[in-house]
Amino acid sequence: MRIEVSFYGFVRDLVTTPKLVIDTSDQTTVREVLDSVVKRHGERLRERLLSATGELAANVQVFVGEQPTTSLDQSIDHAHDHCAEVKVFVLSATAGG
Amino acid sequence: MARTEPFQIRIADLRERYRPQREWAEGRGLLLILAHFFTGAGAGAWLFAVPLGSDTGLVAGFFLAVLGAVGHLFFLGRPERFWRMATRMGSSWISRGLVGLSLFLVTAFLYLALLFLAAHTTTLGSILLALSMLGALWTIIYKGFVWASSKGIPLWNTPLVPALYIAYALRGGAAVLILLAGLGIQLGAWEPLEPIKLWLAVSTAVLVLIYLEVMRGSGMTALRSVNLLLFGKVALPFYLGAVLLGLIVPIGIGSFAYLDHIPAGLLALVGLLSLLGDLSIIYCIARAGLYRPLPT
Amino acid sequence: MVIDLKKCIGCTGCALVCKAENATPPGILWLRVVKHETGKYPQVRRVSVPLQCMHCAEPPCMEVCPTGATFQHPNGIVDIDAELCVGCRYCMMACPYDQRFFLSAERTYFPGHTTPFEQAGYQRHQAGVVSKCNFCTPRLQRGLEPACVANCMSRARTFGDLDDSNSEVSKLIRDRAGYQLHPELGTNPSIYYLPP
Amino acid sequence: MQTENAQEDLWIPTTCGLCYSVCALKVHRVNGTVIKIEGNPESATNRGRLCPRGVSGIMLLYDPNRVNVPLKRTNPNKGLDVDPGWKEITWEEAIDTVAERLRKIRREDPRKLLMTGTVTTQDEVPFSRFFTMAFGTPNGWNSGAGNHCGTAEHLYGALLHASWAKQPDSDHCRYLLNFGSGVGSGSYYTVTGMAQRIAEARLRGMKHVAVDPFLSPSAEKADEWIPIRPGTDAAFALAMLNVLLHELNVYDAEYLKHHTNGPYLIGADGSYLRDETEKVPLIWDPVDAAAKPFHSPEIKDFALDGVYAVDGQRARPAFAVLKEHLAPFTAEWAEPITTIPAATIRRVAKEFAEEARIGSTVVIDGKALPYRPVAVMYFKGAQGHKNALLNCMALELLTEIVGASNVPGGLLGMNSCSVGEPETGQPAWIPKADRDGLMITGYWPSFPPPYPPKEVRATETIDLRGLIPTCPGSSGALPVVMADPKRFAVPYQIEMNLHLGSNYLMTFADPEAVARAFQNVFQVSFALFLDESTYLSDIVLPAASYLERLSHTADWMSSNAAVGEWCYHVRQPVVDPIAQRRSVCEVLLELVERLEMREEFYAFINLLLKLKEPHMLDPTRCYSWSEIVDRRYKSVFGEARGLEWFKKHGVLKWPKQAEEVYWKPSSSARVPIYFEWFKTLGEKVKAQADEIGIELDTSAFQPLPEWRPCRAHEENSPGYDFYAIYYKLPMQTFSGTYDNPWLDEVCQTNPFAYGVAINASAARQRGIEEGDWIEITSVATGHTVRGQAALTEGIHPEVIAIAGCGGHWSKYLPIANQDGKGLCFEWLIPVGLDNVDIPSLTQDTCVKVKVVKATDRGSKRSSRSSRLNDLNHLNDLNPG
């Protein structure tokens, strides 16, 4: 399966590219995808994306297709066409009343 | 606080429990005080000048009244509509006053014109004189009722106020004539005035005391007003103007006159001080006017 | 009109909606809210009381008016015909509720600047005359409630016919012991307050 | 430009933007001129009514003191009192300058960009956040709300009510215990709607007990006013809890068993006991005398009390731990702290317990629901203190213990649950349970929600929220960190601030200290007025007011009252922007093009506005602002209800269902009464802070409430014998409305709006009479502010109360900057972490002050620090 991983916000600066294409097995999870991204781009990215316990960092938002996910164990299914889409965002905290 | 504009002062007043009236005492409101003073003193002078046969007194009285009328006119927000004020004789003391004052001014003017042009008495002259005296009397009487019929201001809303105003107008009239005499331009006999003047001064003083005492007992608002007069922001003009200059000094000098002949200069001073005193008391009572407490 | 002091929160919205509706110039507050405190710490009560023209059945202001500018509509509303007013301010001295305002000179909210709103609205106000609340008579003629009633954000105001004993206002006055301000003066105000 | 059509007479629907309540408006425009703003009766939010601010918007629209052209600074020196020397420039030049700066920063490190906004620009702030996120900075600060933000309150909103804020169930509540919130009195959320609803509730017979140092606008409407020493609300609440659990034995066992973590077993170390396989918390089933996973279908009953041995460990249900913890906090203990007699505390607790009617039900929409008509409200008053986390916990537990949380009559989250509009099923959110069975909000206006607990990390943001993830809103740490980022191991310094309508110098704390943090920042202000904070700006851009702009969303989570109808509104311009004013969102779209970040920006819009095909933005083309807004509406409400529909109709509404309002009985998500994870979180924060090398007092991270003194309580300098507190007025919003001449006029008729409320006897003892000028000196900042005494019996004798945010000094605010127009409270409050509640980063807002009668009666300075004149030394230290 081909997975297109897009980066936004300041993750993009660390990845130095807005988009990566990864080829994986048909059964994969968000964790595996991020691991492979981190492998390519180094530990600094891991620090930003993942917490010390290896979970998704608080202000990182991952979308699989149009669905947001909070769990790294979310599996990535074969999309309608051949390519699944994973978007990785770093959101900044907001609000105050 | 930088509340110098009248509208800012008005807003600041609105949060007071006892709000001062300002329209009839401050800013252009001073014109109204002067108007009441001048018309009162003028009409008073006219009334005294007739029996004393003082033509100068008549002229002075007339012109003072004219001055007062001008003051009245320019106090109005819309002077050009002044004539409308004559239309509510049935209920409004201002309407009544305008008619009385007009009667006085018109007939006094005609009488004076006749006096100086024809230089002798005629029946017409007598009628005019009688009418003018009626007008003058009317003018003297109505003023107090204008204030007394103001339901919003408890200090004024009493029958004592008309009595006080009548007393002050008469005293003012007498004072005008005495002032003229002191200045050496009094043509008629003024000596009879002196005891009248003294009596008026003493009785006015008594009346003021009674008035203040009665008002002290007429509810919280009137009491506060009296306190303003006696101890508050109006105390200075009250003690200095109304009491010292207007009552004590003239009474003192007046009493002295019984013992000895008064020099002309002193006489003029008595007249002038009395007038100042009259003006002060009108001003003070106006300034001390407070509205009733709201909400209760 | 009935003003429920239990509901009123003293926000002054009525004072300003009156200003907006009637475009009253600076310093002219046809409607205001006062705070009234009673008691000693810690047993204290502070009540907000909106005040405006009481539309007295026996209006002392009308009695003293020398020109007839102050008049009473057949429905009891006390109004001023600005064209007749000479600005003697006698009515201001006669009103026991201090609810009349004299506009001494034309003035705008921002010195030296007239906003488009003021340009449009101030034509209704001439200098040199006295003005006051008229229960939004122009609104009433369009079948609307006075602005202060329509906007009150705690719905503390009820407008209606006091002469009709079945009206909402009459019922409220009966059920909740509505009272008038300074009833001892015999002015018989048309504004009743419901106790807090 | 405005149409000059003599026939024009329009009523245009839109929304108010003068506070966070977002009331619906109908604006009357005649021949191009706005002549009246009325409440839109179609809207359930305000039901046709407006507060004084809303009515006065005309004067904001046409205020000649508004910023009408772009300006740039010519004076290189910056400071509180230093005139920037404004020079008019063209929009072209302004955008060029801003774009160039942004490009440079983005190249170097995008995190050097900060955006400050406030809740009165809450339609623009979220969109601007998309900009900053796409830009690549995590730094934002809702600064205009600083002192006013219910920071810790919002945290418990998330943890217990699945909502940003909460309200009493105005339709059913019978006993409202209010610790200083303005609900129903002209401040707080959905002001106008709640004013009506609470007024109705008063008539209905709801008893309102106000616990407040000052007989505030809210306490004035209470049936009983209980004056309390500032910052001791938690002691009162703890004593009430003590009476409930140890004297009256009143609690809602059913609720605690099924809807809280009360039955979860707590081990000796204070943590949950978890089962071996699933690692989920255990409970004790007294019927089977066995520990079971909390969600086990085999549970016959939950134990709330007792001590049990589980796998050799001693374990007790959380409720039992709580109960024992409360034992020392008796009414007698609280009396000297709060100054409230123990008998009063007992009586209130008894009334509260009886009125809670535990066990009773009410039928709503055909369903029998628990009926608990009591609610405990608080906001900045009770929570604006050091130890806000523990204070709020105590207050919240009152509601939870009697089961009055999100059930009829009780305390309701504001729109915790939405099943969506009937046709489209959108927008929808629902609280759900995490693996521990505890509730995660269905929707949270900020990101991420405060629960589940987040990872503690070396702070990356300038507000310390990475290190302390429990802070849900305005961080009290930002000016501290910004002034010295190195100390906090923040690897960059803020270089630029996009400043969206917040006057942070007057709404946070000591303006001098806050100014120091911002002094070296290139500040671009979208401004309505040249207020105090724009004195620090380099570029000022003329912003369109809410009456001149279009918004992608007028509403947010707390726009609708908890009960009633769902209501979505439009915000559209009622006149074209006057002069050269422009909408912030439109300017940002232009900047996006200039910075060539369209692709990312659109991606964020698509995602965060949840745009759906075919309305998603295509990065290969450029959209206008109104197109984006149209797509937003169509994505949520369907093809037929785009922008044009909303512009015409103004309001879309539908009734709320009972299970949306009273969602708790049908929800499987539990809420904590024992905040188990706080302890470990605190330990992590401590460890991380130690690693960074900063000293942080993390002792307040604990699972159960206590009362701890504020700094002010321990301050014993002679002469400093008053607590200064502040409160909100119904006729002003923060500092932003003080130049409005209409609001100014009504404030002048109110003795407290611009004055200093002081106890009459206490004042007279010091020779202070009504209207006297007094000087108030803060022990913490050394600053002195001047104001006029407003003597009242309705205030605690130890307290002075200052309303709102008056005391402006900008020379460009000619109405607000006059003497006697209130005081700037912030001069009294110090900036610093020792004045902040660490777990919630809440700024403490009470301080000890000295109050003396002013001797120099001629002085015009009413509101300024006497030290201000010496402030220019700052410029010497930091040139440019």
Side-chain angles (χ1 to χ4, degrees):
Chain A
M1 181 170 69
R2 241 165 67 88
I3 297 178
E4 220 177 81
V5 191
S6 312
F7 303 98
Y8 298 90
F10 60 81
V11 197
R12 180 181 288 196
D13 301 330
L14 296 170
V15 184
T16 65
T17 169
K19 206 169 270 184
L20 270 178
V21 178
I22 303 172
D23 283 307
T24 63
S25 62
D26 277 2
Q27 285 297 313
T28 188
T29 61
V30 173
R31 187 187 303 278
E32 284 169 20
V33 169
L34 289 186
D35 276 346
S36 96
V37 172
V38 165
K39 239 174 240 156
R40 291 193 206 186
H41 293 279
E43 280 309 299
R44 201 167 153 226
L45 185 62
R46 181 185 295 277
E47 280 170 25
R48 296 289 281 270
L49 294 182
L50 304 178
S51 69
T53 53
E55 290 299 307
L56 217 48
N59 55 341
V60 173
Q61 176 76 71
V62 174
F63 279 72
V64 177
E66 282 181 24
Q67 287 304 311
T69 175
T70 47
S71 165
L72 282 174
D73 298 324
Q74 169 88 36
S75 66
I76 300 171
D77 296 329
H78 226 283
H80 322 291
D81 40 39
H82 331 287
C83 188
E85 210 186 359
V86 174
K87 297 181 188 131
V88 181
F89 290 84
V90 176
L91 303 180
S92 51
T94 60
Chain B
M1 213 178 295
R3 292 207 179 95
T4 47
E5 295 282 331
F7 73 99
Q8 286 175 322
I9 295 168
R10 174 82 165 123
I11 291 172
D13 284 348
L14 290 183
R15 71 180 196 212
E16 298 291 329
R17 193 155 156 72
Y18 296 90
R19 298 156 313 285
Q21 78 80 19
R22 295 184 192 270
E23 294 293 348
W24 277 12
E26 291 178 18
R28 276 216 292 185
L30 285 171
L31 281 179
L32 183 79
I33 305 296
L34 289 171
H36 270 281
F37 166 67
F38 281 126
T39 50
W46 183 273
L47 283 181
F48 281 114
V50 172
L52 291 174
S54 164
D55 289 352
T56 324
L58 288 180
V59 173
F62 173 70
F63 279 105
L64 283 174
V66 168
L67 205 59
V70 171
H72 268 305
L73 190 65
F74 285 101
F75 163 73
L76 294 180
R78 288 285 177 163
E80 76 279 9
R81 298 176 185 164
F82 86 94
W83 54 272
R84 291 190 184 276
M85 294 171 45
T87 58
R88 283 296 184 276
M89 285 277 286
S91 63
S92 173
W93 277 102
I94 283 191
S95 275
R96 291 168 192 157
L98 176 65
V99 171
L101 186 59
S102 306
L103 176 69
F104 171 48
L105 288 179
V106 170
T107 52
F109 175 75
L110 292 175
Y111 174 76
L112 286 177
L114 210 60
L115 190 68
F116 285 105
L117 293 177
H120 59 88
T121 13
T122 60
T123 320
L124 180 62
S126 306
I127 295 169
L128 285 173
L129 187 63
L131 283 175
S132 70
M133 286 185 72
L134 179 67
L137 200 60
W138 191 336
T139 302
I140 286 168
I141 293 168
Y142 98 87
K143 304 178 161 308
F145 283 101
V146 167
W147 299 83
S149 61
S150 297
K151 254 191 170 147
I153 316 286
L155 181 69
W156 309 342
N157 195 207
T158 159
L160 282 172
V161 164
L164 203 60
Y165 268 73
I166 292 166
Y168 267 101
L170 291 175
R171 204 176 82 111
V176 169
L177 296 188
I178 288 174
L179 174 63
L180 291 175
L183 294 175
I185 43 177
Q186 169 68 25
L187 293 179
W190 59 271
E191 284 81 359
L193 272 177
E194 193 44 44
I196 296 175
K197 179 71 185 40
L198 187 62
W199 177 79
L200 277 172
V202 173
S203 58
T204 310
V206 173
L207 202 54
V208 169
L209 282 176
I210 295 173
Y211 170 62
L212 293 181
E213 192 49 38
V214 169
M215 292 326 289
R216 273 165 57 87
S218 302
M220 277 305 293
T221 316
L223 173 63
R224 277 174 174 261
S225 286
V226 173
N227 286 344
L228 275 184
L229 272 178
L230 298 181
F231 317 111
K233 61 173 183 182
V234 196
L236 187 70
F238 178 71
Y239 287 118
L240 198 68
V243 177
L244 185 68
L245 298 184
L247 292 173
I248 296 176
V249 177
I251 290 174
I253 298 175
S255 315
F256 179 68
Y258 279 94
L259 307 173
D260 206 346
H261 183 72
I262 302 180
L266 204 55
L267 197 63
L269 188 68
V270 170
L272 189 67
L273 291 180
S274 300
L275 286 172
L276 275 176
D278 296 1
L279 179 59
S280 300
I281 196 79
I282 297 176
Y283 173 72
C284 290
I285 293 177
R287 273 294 301 271
L290 293 175
Y291 287 98
R292 282 183 177 77
L294 288 170
T296 44
Chain C
M1 186 185 288
V2 169
I3 300 177
D4 186 343
L5 298 182
K6 195 172 182 70
K7 284 179 140 190
C8 173
I9 54 171
C11 72
T12 69
C14 49
L16 288 189
V17 81
C18 171
K19 191 156 274 298
E21 181 71 35
N22 298 297
T24 48
I28 311 288
L29 282 154
W30 287 0
L31 206 168
R32 64 181 189 262
V33 182
V34 298
K35 300 266 184 191
H36 181 49
E37 199 173 285
T38 47
K40 285 274 168 201
Y41 179 87
Q43 258 71 50
V44 197
R45 195 80 208 249
R46 198 188 299 127
V47 184
S48 299
V49 185
L51 297 168
Q52 66 206 82
C53 174
M54 299 287 155
H55 296 280
C56 307
E58 306 293 334
C61 52
M62 188 168 91
E63 191 184 313
V64 303
C65 176
T67 66
T70 295
F71 66 101
Q72 219 166 0
H73 289 284
N75 60 9
I77 290 174
V78 180
D79 206 346
I80 300 173
D81 184 340
E83 292 303 319
L84 295 183
C85 178
V86 292
C88 72
R89 290 159 263 178
Y90 197 4
C91 52
M92 295 176 70
M93 304 302 136
C95 173
Y97 307 100
D98 189 13
Q99 288 303 337
R100 292 177 156 248
F101 291 82
F102 177 67
L103 183 61
S104 53
E106 279 171 22
R107 207 185 297 116
T108 57
Y109 269 103
F110 301 101
H113 178 91
T114 310
T115 60
F117 169 81
E118 290 168 300
Q119 266 164 25
Y122 287 179
Q123 291 157 4
R124 279 177 266 168
H125 300 277
Q126 32 176 304
V129 304
V130 171
S131 68
K132 66 163 192 76
C133 155
N134 58 7
F135 268 171
C136 287
T137 293
R139 280 180 66 99
L140 297 178
Q141 285 161 354
R142 280 179 283 150
L144 301 168
E145 292 184 311
C148 56
V149 178
N151 187 63
C152 177
M153 75 159 166
S154 56
R155 295 187 185 246
R157 292 165 176 268
T158 315
F159 189 71
D161 187 355
L162 291 172
D163 294 336
D164 174 2
S165 63
N166 289 319
S167 66
E168 181 68 22
V169 282
S170 299
K171 277 187 213 149
L172 281 171
I173 294 166
R174 256 196 325 269
D175 297 350
R176 306 252 328 265
Y179 62 92
Q180 298 161 309
L181 295 188
H182 289 306
E184 75 281 8
L185 300 175
T187 51
N188 193 11
S190 299
I191 292 189
Y192 283 77
Y193 293 86
L194 304 182
Chain D
M1 285 273 63
Q2 295 162 17
T3 46
E4 288 301 327
N5 179 354
Q7 301 302 310
E8 187 200 66
D9 188 334
L10 293 172
W11 287 88
I12 306 164
T14 187
T15 44
C16 189
L18 287 170
C19 83
Y20 40 79
S21 287
V22 202
C23 292
L25 307 178
K26 277 191 333 181
V27 177
H28 195 189
R29 193 178 80 186
V30 174
N31 298 331
T33 298
V34 174
I35 62 162
K36 181 97 189 283
I37 300 176
E38 290 187 1
N40 188 346
E42 295 300 310
S43 168
T45 303
N46 52 316
R47 309 201 287 181
R49 312 290 161 129
L50 287 181
C51 78
R53 294 163 291 209
V55 170
S56 76
I58 303 171
M59 286 285 125
L60 173 87
L61 178 65
Y62 293 125
D63 190 335
N65 303 310
R66 286 271 301 273
V67 185
N68 283 327
V69 290
L71 300 167
K72 84 169 177 196
R73 173 182 210 98
T74 57
N75 186 351
N77 289 334
K78 271 190 191 177
L80 280 181
D81 259 348
V82 182
D83 191 329
W86 294 119
K87 181 173 170 266
E88 284 188 22
I89 53 171
T90 61
W91 262 106
E92 191 59 29
E93 184 186 344
I95 297 263
D96 282 346
T97 315
V98 175
E100 193 190 324
R101 278 270 174 173
L102 285 171
R103 251 193 302 271
K104 176 183 161 283
I105 287 174
R106 196 160 194 237
R107 214 165 37 233
E108 291 169 7
D109 186 345
R111 296 174 298 180
K112 292 177 176 178
L113 177 69
L114 170 71
M115 195 194 76
T116 50
T118 182
V119 287
T120 46
T121 52
Q122 63 183 325
D123 54 335
E124 296 169 326
V125 167
F127 193 74
S128 313
R129 297 269 187 236
F130 306 162
F131 177 87
T132 52
M133 285 182 211
F135 186 87
T137 178
N139 288 311
W141 194 38
N142 255 6
S143 48
N147 256 346
H148 311 270
C149 184
T151 321
E153 192 262 1
H154 298 317
L155 173 64
Y156 287 99
L159 300 179
L160 300 169
H161 305 280
S163 119
W164 184 252
K166 55 238 174 200
Q167 287 174 341
D169 179 3
S170 50
D171 290 355
H172 302 94
C173 185
R174 295 202 46 82
Y175 197 86
L176 172 62
L177 188 54
N178 186 5
F179 292 85
S181 100
V183 66
S185 76
S187 55
Y188 203 68
Y189 295 90
T190 63
V191 165
T192 38
M194 281 315 271
Q196 296 167 55
R197 292 176 185 281
I198 299 286
E200 287 298 334
R202 276 200 290 281
L203 281 196
R204 181 164 53 72
M206 178 186 76
K207 183 170 181 183
H208 174 186
V209 178
V211 183
D212 198 320
F214 176 49
L215 188 63
S216 65
S218 166
E220 275 176 20
K221 299 314 293 179
D223 298 280
E224 183 178 354
W225 172 53
I226 302 178
I228 186 170
R229 179 180 288 150
T232 64
D233 311 75
F236 185 102
L238 287 167
M240 272 185 74
L241 285 166
N242 175 285
V243 175
L244 288 175
L245 295 184
H246 289 277
E247 294 183 15
L248 302 173
N249 202 29
V250 166
Y251 56 92
D252 188 341
E254 283 308 300
Y255 174 81
L256 291 167
K257 285 175 184 174
H258 298 285
H259 297 287
T260 73
N261 69 354
Y264 286 16
L265 291 173
I266 308 297
D269 62 349
S271 300
Y272 297 141
L273 289 190
R274 294 176 181 271
D275 86 322
E276 285 300 315
T277 48
E278 282 187 87
K279 302 283 179 211
V280 295
L282 295 169
I283 61 96
W284 187 262
D285 185 338
V287 180
D288 290 349
K292 296 175 182 173
F294 76 93
H295 55 30
S296 162
E298 275 112 58
I299 295 172
K300 300 195 176 76
D301 195 10
F302 297 86
L304 289 175
D305 233 322
V307 185
Y308 308 98
V310 180
D311 298 337
Q313 275 205 65
R314 185 178 179 271
R316 285 184 306 163
F319 178 73
V321 179
L322 169 67
K323 187 176 168 184
E324 187 193 288
H325 171 80
L326 291 169
F329 306 126
T330 60
E332 282 69 24
W333 163 82
E335 179 172 317
I337 297 171
T338 57
T339 71
I340 300 169
T344 305
I345 299 173
R346 280 209 174 80
R347 175 174 53 79
V348 172
K350 189 159 175 286
E351 287 172 5
F352 183 79
E354 279 168 6
E355 204 60 273
R357 303 174 189 213
I358 291 166
S360 66
T361 56
V362 62
V363 176
I364 294 174
D365 286 0
K367 290 182 201 75
L369 297 167
Y371 177 55
R372 302 285 178 277
V374 294
V376 176
M377 282 291 297
Y378 63 94
F379 200 61
K380 194 68 190 185
Q383 75 115 50
H385 297 282
K386 182 92 182 155
N387 307 309
L389 186 90
L390 298 175
N391 290 349
C392 299
M393 198 189 284
L395 293 162
E396 291 283 358
L397 283 179
L398 282 170
T399 307
E400 296 299 331
I401 289 301
V402 298
S405 178
N406 298 293
V407 297
L411 187 64
L412 305 177
M414 287 181 69
N415 311 308
S416 318
C417 182
S418 168
V419 300
E421 193 262 338
E423 259 180 61
T424 63
Q426 282 196 79
W429 59 82
I430 189 160
K432 45 191 183 295
D434 76 340
R435 282 164 51 84
D436 283 355
L438 295 196
M439 184 191 69
I440 305 175
T441 56
Y443 171 79
W444 189 249
S446 172
F447 185 87
Y451 187 87
K454 289 178 297 287
E455 208 46 53
V456 174
R457 50 204 293 122
T459 185
E460 183 161 62
T461 57
I462 207 79
D463 58 4
L464 231 52
R465 282 167 73 179
L467 180 65
I468 300 165
T470 13
C471 170
S474 278
S475 162
L478 185 129
V480 184
V481 183
M482 220 169 112
D484 190 3
K486 276 200 200 83
R487 195 181 132 211
F488 296 91
V490 177
Y492 56 90
Q493 221 163 5
I494 295 296
E495 279 184 16
M496 183 167 176
N497 180 24
L498 275 183
H499 175 218
L500 263 75
S502 92
N503 193 1
Y504 53 79
L505 286 184
M506 286 190 70
T507 49
F508 181 73
D510 186 355
E512 202 175 274
V514 178
R516 221 171 285 142
F518 280 85
Q519 200 137 22
N520 293 323
V521 171
F522 187 87
Q523 179 162 285
V524 179
S525 301
F526 292 90
L528 297 177
F529 294 98
L530 291 171
D531 61 20
E532 288 69 17
S533 299
T534 62
Y535 269 56
L536 303 176
S537 299
D538 295 87
I539 301 270
V540 172
L541 301 171
S545 68
Y546 68 99
L547 292 171
E548 302 163 279
R549 69 182 184 235
L550 176 70
S551 297
H552 69 292
T553 170
D555 308 284
W556 67 319
M557 193 179 187
S558 315
S559 299
N560 289 180
V563 294
E565 289 165 300
W566 290 103
C567 221
Y568 285 81
H569 303 99
V570 71
R571 174 169 298 156
Q572 60 175 324
V574 296
V575 292
D576 289 332
I578 293 167
Q580 293 186 41
R581 302 170 191 170
R582 285 183 70 184
S583 140
V584 172
C585 296
E586 289 182 27
V587 175
L588 288 177
L589 283 172
E590 191 178 333
L591 283 171
V592 164
E593 297 300 319
R594 294 285 193 101
L595 295 169
E596 291 165 6
M597 45 186 261
R598 190 201 292 166
E599 195 197 332
E600 284 176 270
F601 188 56
Y602 282 6
F604 273 94
I605 292 178
N606 284 336
L607 252 176
L608 298 168
L609 287 184
K610 299 192 172 76
L611 299 190
K612 289 185 183 58
E613 288 300 358
H615 303 298
M616 286 171 82
L617 304 187
D618 170 5
T620 60
R621 60 161 288 212
C622 180
Y623 296 88
S624 72
W625 177 227
S626 56
E627 279 176 298
I628 295 174
V629 175
D630 184 45
R631 280 160 183 263
R632 151 80 168 156
Y633 275 119
K634 284 177 176 163
S635 291
V636 182
F637 296 114
E639 195 64 40
R641 287 176 299 204
L643 178 58
E644 285 314 307
W645 187 94
F646 269 91
K647 274 182 154 180
K648 188 163 161 241
H649 295 87
V651 183
L652 175 66
K653 63 174 175 180
W654 65 93
K656 279 184 176 163
Q657 299 179 14
E659 61 262 35
E660 290 176 299
V661 180
Y662 311 114
W663 55 274
K664 198 62 157 300
S666 52
S667 172
S668 63
R670 295 166 178 266
V671 298
I673 58 163
Y674 180 91
F675 297 78
E676 186 250 7
W677 70 96
F678 276 1
K679 195 166 153 283
T680 32
L681 196 67
E683 284 157 7
K684 287 179 191 167
V685 172
K686 183 81 189 160
Q688 188 64 252
D690 287 347
E691 203 178 311
I692 296 167
I694 46 174
E695 219 169 279
L696 271 192
D697 177 9
T698 54
S699 63
F701 281 100
Q702 56 176 57
L704 291 169
E706 353 180 296
W707 176 79
R708 297 177 176 188
C710 300
R711 276 177 79 192
H713 294 121
E714 292 170 330
E715 174 56 56
N716 286 316
S717 297
Y720 291 84
D721 48 4
F722 277 99
Y723 294 93
I725 61 164
Y726 96 104
Y727 64 99
K728 289 172 198 168
L729 288 171
M731 57 290 237
Q732 299 282 5
T733 304
F734 306 158
S735 74
T737 47
Y738 274 79
D739 209 53
N740 187 311
W742 285 6
L743 298 176
D744 173 43
E745 222 166 66
V746 288
C747 278
Q748 288 184 45
T749 62
N750 179 331
F752 302 110
Y754 287 150
V756 182
I758 183 168
N759 183 283
S761 319
R764 294 207 175 97
Q765 275 168 24
R766 289 160 176 79
I768 296 165
E769 288 295 330
E770 178 72 25
D772 280 350
W773 282 92
I774 53 176
E775 287 182 348
I776 302 154
T777 307
S778 161
V779 73
T781 65
H783 294 307
T784 300
V785 294
R786 294 166 56 95
Q788 282 179 293
L791 269 55
T792 168
E793 293 292 334
I795 190 166
H796 197 287
E798 297 171 1
V799 177
I800 59 163
I802 294 171
C805 308
H808 286 257
W809 62 85
S810 164
K811 70 171 189 176
Y812 303 100
L813 299 173
I815 293 167
N817 72 9
Q818 292 166 16
D819 283 308
K821 299 286 179 74
L823 298 83
C824 177
F825 180 78
E826 277 64 23
W827 285 106
L828 308 174
I829 303 294
V831 169
L833 287 187
D834 48 356
N835 205 49
V836 163
D837 177 48
I838 294 300
S840 64
L841 296 176
T842 299
Q843 174 75 27
D844 193 335
T845 48
C846 79
V847 66
K848 273 283 180 70
V849 294
K850 181 166 71 184
V851 177
V852 293
K853 191 170 165 175
T855 44
D856 51 337
R857 299 176 71 187
S859 169
K860 284 280 177 190
R861 288 256 143 158
S862 65
S863 55
R864 302 296 310 280
S865 153
S866 51
R867 284 166 53 190
L868 257 188
N869 294 334
D870 308 330
L871 198 68
N872 290 338
H873 74 273
L874 280 176
N875 300 317
D876 305 334
L877 295 174
N878 302 309

